[in-house]
Amino acid sequence: MKLQRKNRRALALGALAVSGALALTACGSDDTSGGSASGDSSASAQTGNIQCDDAKGQLQASGSSAQKNAIDAWVKNYTAACKDVQINYRPDGSGAGITAFLQGQTAFAGSDSALKPEEIEDSKEICTDGQAIDLPMVGGPIAIGYNVPGVDELVLDAATISEIFDSKITNWNDKKIAKLNPDAKLPDLKIQAFHRSDESGTTDNFTKYLKAAAPKAWPYEPGKSWEAKGGQSAQGSSGVAQQVKQTEGAISYFELSYAKDINTVDVKTEAAEPVKATIENATAAIGAAKVVGTGKDLALELDYTPEAEGAYPLVLVTYEIACDKGNKADTLPATKSFLNYMASEDGQGLLADAGYAPMPEEIITKVRDTISSLS
């Protein structure tokens, strides 16, 4: 355990060094929403219900790149209303975010996977008289994007997806792909499969789906780190999406918000018709999730093999991770204020336009109650 914590400390310091150089301030240097927080009239129109309370100072956070576009939109509106708060969110991946949080470097972390028992245990050193908890805040489909000239629609099932990402299917005109797409003109083109190079909750959820839906075709255990052989890698959701855009024959997985101008796979499930990666179809699947966390922890159990028509099986939920008790006194007001806005009706209301699915009402109500009790 001591060695593990030393490794975490080294990783956290490295992440913090990068974060200090590249941290998002207000909209952030990596902002995709455009414009400044204080000068955008559309942002001003959405700030009326934001409660700043006693929030002030700098709020450091990091983690999931899956929620980056949502965070950008939230920060833009929040800092327009609460001008005494500066929010620096570094989208360096779920693994790095949890590491930084467990070393006390950040006020909260974003993760596309719930905390592991050993991470909750480690958090007791940071959360005085308390522990870290999972607050589900952002949902959405993990799209499988591809770049195959002349193919605008593509259907794949879990077994075929598994074999593509495990380098067992290596060409786009493979007979297994052709069987699922009898009307498509599949080219004699090499498949370029890209996966995340960083520890990623998106990878964790993607591989959980493959393991659950095609256990014989996917022999690896799910996890934040990529285990399969072969393929190519890139950093973050934006990195793999960019590789798909610019590489003929490429395929990868990333959140729907990164799939602009990229064709996405329709996934064949046990339902009669293949399911498209849409917010509505992801919401249908997330609505069936169960809260499995204990106490104030709101970790969810997702169903990766839904049978209902129109339920997209490849979904993720991003959690904000904070201490239930023992949050730092100097950042607690800003942390609660910002998290309250994210979970509010207004905050959740902007998610669909940003390419995400809001949390179901019965879940987000529990999140709001839990945030109000943070101390």
Side-chain angles (χ1 to χ4, degrees), residues 155-169:
V155 174
L156 296 175
D157 59 17
T160 307
I161 296 168
S162 296
E163 292 191 32
I164 287 172
F165 281 91
D166 197 23
S167 303
K168 299 291 177 58
I169 295 177

Side-chain angles (χ1 to χ4, degrees), residues 150-157 160 172-187 266 268 273-274:
V151 181
D152 294 328
E153 293 186 4
L154 185 70
V155 174
L156 296 175
D157 59 17
T160 307
W172 279 111
N173 63 354
D174 185 278
K175 61 182 181 181
K176 292 183 180 180
I177 300 176
K179 184 177 180 180
L180 291 166
N181 299 274
D183 297 327
K185 295 182 179 179
L186 298 168
D266 295 349
K268 182 171 175 53
E273 296 295 328

Side-chain angles (χ1 to χ4, degrees), residues 46-228:
Q46 302 178 55
T47 60
N49 296 325
I50 296 176
Q51 301 298 314
C52 303
D53 299 324
D54 297 322
K56 60 183 178 180
Q58 287 197 356
L59 199 61
Q60 303 289 342
S62 67
S64 165
S65 66
Q67 68 171 355
K68 177 191 176 299
N69 294 333
I71 289 283
D72 285 350
W74 280 326
V75 168
K76 184 176 184 178
N77 288 349
Y78 180 83
T79 53
C82 305
K83 300 183 185 298
D84 292 332
V85 181
Q86 226 180 23
I87 300 174
N88 304 314
Y89 183 83
R90 176 65 186 169
D92 49 6
S94 298
I98 291 174
T99 295
F101 178 80
L102 292 178
Q103 292 302 318
Q105 305 295 334
T106 54
F108 70 91
S111 176
D112 307 322
S113 297
L115 290 163
K116 297 177 181 178
E118 60 268 27
E119 291 169 337
I120 293 176
E121 186 63 30
D122 287 352
S123 74
K124 294 177 181 179
E125 295 188 8
I126 300 300
C127 305
T128 306
D129 297 324
Q131 65 177 47
I133 56 173
D134 299 287
L135 300 170
M137 197 73 74
V138 184
I142 301 174
I144 301 175
Y146 67 95
N147 181 348
V148 182
V151 181
D152 294 328
E153 293 186 4
L154 185 70
V155 174
L156 296 175
D157 59 17
T160 307
I161 296 168
S162 296
E163 292 191 32
I164 287 172
F165 281 91
D166 197 23
S167 303
K168 299 291 177 58
I169 295 177
T170 58
N171 222 58
W172 279 111
N173 63 354
D174 185 278
K175 61 182 181 181
K176 292 183 180 180
I177 300 176
K179 184 177 180 180
L180 291 166
N181 299 274
D183 297 327
K185 295 182 179 179
L186 298 168
D188 182 7
L189 177 66
K190 183 181 178 182
I191 294 174
Q192 308 278 354
F194 285 88
H195 57 265
R196 291 278 292 271
S197 60
D198 51 321
E199 283 198 353
S200 162
T202 312
T203 296
D204 190 24
N205 284 278
F206 181 63
T207 53
K208 282 178 179 175
Y209 160 71
L210 296 179
K211 189 68 174 178
K216 293 182 180 179
W218 190 255
Y220 310 99
E221 288 302 312
K224 293 186 179 73
S225 298
W226 189 256
E227 298 293 336

